[in-house]
Amino acid sequence: MNKKKFVYVVSDSVGETAELMVKAVASQFTGEDIEIQNFSYVEDTKDLNNVIAVSKYSDGIIAYTIVIPSLKKYLDQKACEEGIIAIDLMSPLMTAFSQKFNKEPKGQPGLMRKLDDNYFRRVEAIEFAVKYDDGQEVQGITRADIVLIGVSRTSKTPLSMYLANKKFKVANVPLVPEIEPPEELFDIPRNRCVGLVITPDKLNEIRKERLKNLGLATQANYANLDRILEELDYAENIMKRIGCPVINVSNKAVEETADSILAILKKERSLLI
């Protein structure tokens, strides 16, 4: 029966990187009884002394991803003194980066986790925008960072997705004369809501093109100018009731409108602080 081999994964952060690398290597040694133990968030030499003591007692290997220079130096020195194999998993690549970019690393633990958190916040915001698109599930109105309102074809959905990629949770609500807007719209602070308007001629043009792409008659009520004027007038009255800022999207790209929204909301919110 093989004697159990111990590998201690040590990190001044979570240690996921080191653990994955150790597992990948361990998988190449089938038949060996290898146990991997984690020592995460080591903060001082006392933590490292514990690792050294355990490793020496079990005749184990230390594999580490430590970016704080003083801790790395201490671990290397103590491991050498105690005859323990300690493998620095990051230094070779870190050195290559430094040489290539002519720049020193930050030496700050947890930076990858921060990047991951940003990624997951963006994914969460995108999922939110999809779930609460076009007035679906009005509960999203009270949970959103930004609520966009306007008639059909005022770029509510593309704006929601663009802002979601900037990690804002966005809900959008279409305003239609025959449908009473959700009560939640009138309960949220006005500095979380933005109205989108457009000139009648531009909207008429956009809607006709939309109908054409769908293979429908461009004379449909959806693109009728009188109907468009009715919708815009209704939407304007709702926006006045809410008291929210309004942006004309007639000749604006999505990116430009998004920047305007963020600028307006920043100003509105600062006035209320």
Side-chain angles (χ1 to χ4, degrees), residues 117-131:
D117 288 344
N118 283 331
Y119 170 77
F120 287 119
R121 280 199 298 272
R122 184 178 293 109
V123 170
E124 184 181 6
I126 291 172
E127 290 175 345
F128 187 96
V130 171
K131 183 175 182 179

Side-chain angles (χ1 to χ4, degrees), residues 180-236:
E180 190 67 23
E183 284 299 320
E184 289 84 350
L185 271 182
F186 304 98
D187 295 333
I188 62 172
R190 73 173 192 180
N191 63 338
R192 283 169 50 197
C193 184
V194 175
L196 304 175
V197 298
I198 189 170
T199 62
D201 289 345
K202 184 68 175 178
L203 185 56
N204 180 246
E205 176 189 327
I206 292 172
R207 288 189 174 183
K208 281 184 176 179
E209 188 63 29
R210 173 66 172 165
L211 290 171
K212 187 189 299 183
N213 291 337
L214 292 173
L216 302 173
T218 57
Q219 292 80 23
N221 193 43
Y222 179 70
N224 180 277
L225 192 56
D226 288 337
R227 169 63 182 183
I228 285 173
L229 289 170
E230 179 189 358
E231 288 186 37
L232 291 174
D233 185 59
Y234 172 79
E236 184 180 349

Side-chain angles (χ1 to χ4, degrees), residues 8 10 17 22 57 68 75 77 79 83 98 101 119-120 123 134 147 151 167 170 179 183 195 205 241 251:
Y8 301 99
V10 183
T17 304
V22 169
Y57 175 79
I68 300 174
L75 178 55
Q77 181 180 332
S98 294
F101 304 145
Y119 170 77
F120 287 119
V123 170
D134 208 27
V147 179
V151 301
K167 300 186 291 292
V170 186
I179 302 174
E183 284 299 320
E205 176 189 327
R241 281 177 59 191
N251 297 302

